[in-house]
Amino acid sequence: MSVGFRILKRQRKVAAEIVERFARLPVANVSDSMSRMTAAGARLRPRHQSGGMAGPALTVKTRPGDNLMLHKAMAMAEPGDVIVVDAGGDLTNALIGEMMLMRIIKSGLAGIVIDGAVRDAGFIRAQTFPVFAAGVTHRGPYKNGPGEINVPIAIDGMVIEPGDLIIGDDDGLLCVPFDDVDGVLKAATAKYQAEQKQIANIKAGTHDSSWVDKALRELNCEGLD
């Protein structure tokens, strides 16, 4: 098997019930629960109209500007999957447009992430189907390869293994490793519930911000009243 030009089978993926529970949580709460150490960078933005994304990753690593392996991944993907494409962040050629996206929507996937460019931006913007990409260009792709499917990939330092959980909303994207989903889910749910209490207190005018002066005193800040 040739490294750099190969198709592997995904050995595991996060369960649907776990995906559903994460889909109810803001990405920021999950990120805070992972010590704010993981991110796919600010370049990857939602290109669709609205709505969050959650699902197990089907990973694609492709030569910048080439979408041959993305076509194959579309045929392999299962309903609920998120196709995640490491195209090196190159914005010279779009890897997906209206016709490919129509097929993806029809197949019941949960979303697509491209560390590269897309085109037919108006069509994408009119959809609620989640599309995250680094940029937009009218120039189309090549279809010569090479590339790999279901291998570990990395986007701005965020490592994604096949079957890991991918979530996204207006704040960006996050990968939760397969082995960590239970612990992160518990912590993120607690974080979300605590924030809901804070919001209720703010609305009621009972929010306590005394912790600010306490923290400043502990840091020996001068000039406190």
Side-chain angles (χ1 to χ4, degrees):
M1 184 175 292
S2 175
V3 174
F5 207 4
R6 58 185 177 175
I7 298 169
L8 304 179
K9 291 184 178 180
R10 186 171 50 185
Q11 300 301 313
R12 60 186 187 178
K13 67 176 184 177
V14 291
E17 57 268 26
I18 295 291
V19 172
E20 183 179 353
R21 293 178 66 186
F22 269 99
R24 304 171 193 157
L25 298 171
V27 169
N29 286 165
V30 182
S31 178
D32 286 350
S33 301
M34 296 173 66
S35 301
R36 306 181 180 95
M37 288 293 290
T38 302
R43 296 177 306 107
L44 283 167
R45 301 301 306 149
R47 303 292 168 174
H48 55 291
Q49 183 185 120
S50 63
M53 177 184 71
L58 191 156
T59 61
V60 181
K61 186 176 180 64
T62 187
R63 179 173 65 88
D66 191 286
N67 74 354
L68 176 61
M69 281 303 192
L70 175 52
H71 278 277
K72 180 59 179 176
M74 288 167 55
M76 294 172 58
E78 301 170 348
D81 282 349
V82 175
I83 295 177
V84 187
V85 184
D86 173 9
D90 182 79
L91 304 180
T92 307
N93 299 83
L95 297 191
I96 194 169
E98 179 177 355
M99 289 188 290
M100 290 176 69
L101 188 58
M102 288 176 67
R103 289 168 49 202
I104 288 175
I105 294 172
K106 188 76 172 177
S107 64
L109 301 190
I112 185 165
V113 176
I114 297 184
D115 188 18
V118 298
R119 66 177 179 180
D120 299 324
F123 174 82
I124 295 172
R125 193 163 50 245
Q127 311 303 312
T128 57
F129 181 82
V131 177
F132 288 78
V136 176
T137 181
H138 55 79
R139 294 177 61 173
Y142 299 98
K143 295 175 171 59
N144 307 112
E148 298 178 297
I149 295 176
N150 285 326
V151 296
I153 60 174
I155 298 177
D156 275 8
M158 184 176 75
V159 177
I160 305 162
E161 300 268 0
D164 284 351
L165 176 69
I166 296 293
I167 56 175
D169 61 17
D170 287 340
D171 287 334
L173 291 161
L174 182 62
C175 173
V176 183
F178 180 93
D179 291 329
D180 296 331
V181 291
D182 291 335
V184 172
L185 177 59
K186 182 178 180 180
T189 301
K191 174 72 172 176
Y192 175 75
Q193 292 170 346
E195 286 196 355
Q196 294 310 297
K197 291 181 180 178
Q198 282 185 288
I199 290 171
N201 289 336
I202 291 170
K203 290 179 178 178
T206 58
H207 178 66
D208 181 9
S209 59
S210 60
W211 67 269
V212 177
D213 283 351
K214 181 176 182 293
L216 290 171
R217 289 191 183 92
E218 290 175 351
L219 293 168
N220 297 317
C221 176
E222 295 183 9
L224 287 175
D225 294 334

